[in-house]
Amino acid sequence: MESKNNPYVTPNQTVDADAASRPGSVLAFVRKVFFTCVWTLLFFFGSAMFLGFASGIFFVTMGSAASGASPQTMEWIGFAWAVVPMVLGLVGILLGILGYLPGTRWKTRTRISENQSAGSLVETTL
């Protein structure tokens, strides 16, 4: 089957530089999965580091005040340590799947970019 009759095959004369960024490409899928995993890990461990920094400041200030933290405060800190990284990890997954994070969005080709990549000039009239 010739390429001019099949809309899914690019002509031999054109070079498709954006093939790895189109939604139908396997490389685009692998790239999206990779960056989604990276963002998920960044959200998870970033929130854990932030909580560690914040709880460290809290414990230093409570230690210098010569009054220990109440058991209820310690329970809330433990709850935050258990829940917040998991929730932010899920937020990272969802934002990555939806394509809102850098590296996770599908690049769409417009008709103008397809015409320009095929070598034809697009003229605009006023």
Side-chain angles (χ1 to χ4, degrees):
M1 181 179 268
E2 289 186 35
S3 63
K4 66 180 177 179
N5 296 333
N6 188 352
Y8 300 107
V9 176
T10 59
N12 293 336
Q13 293 83 14
T14 62
V15 177
D16 196 3
D18 295 329
S21 63
R22 280 186 294 184
S25 173
V26 174
L27 291 176
F29 179 73
V30 169
R31 182 177 160 266
K32 184 176 178 83
V33 168
F34 173 74
F35 279 111
T36 300
C37 291
V38 166
W39 277 108
T40 301
L41 291 173
L42 282 173
F43 273 61
F44 182 84
F45 288 112
S47 65
M49 289 174 57
F50 178 75
L51 283 173
F53 183 72
S55 62
I57 290 174
F58 172 76
F59 289 131
V60 166
T61 57
M62 290 304 291
S64 66
S67 64
S70 68
Q72 183 180 9
T73 304
M74 295 302 291
E75 288 175 7
W76 277 106
I77 291 173
F79 178 75
W81 267 94
V83 173
V84 170
M86 287 189 285
V87 169
L88 285 178
L90 288 175
V91 168
I93 288 174
L94 289 176
L95 291 176
I97 289 172
L98 294 175
Y100 289 120
L101 298 173
T104 61
R105 69 181 56 99
W106 297 114
K107 292 183 183 175
T108 58
R109 290 175 52 117
T110 61
R111 182 178 294 178
I112 293 172
S113 67
E114 287 176 359
N115 288 339
Q116 289 174 349
S117 67
S120 65
L121 295 176
V122 178
E123 295 181 16
T124 58
T125 59
L126 297 176

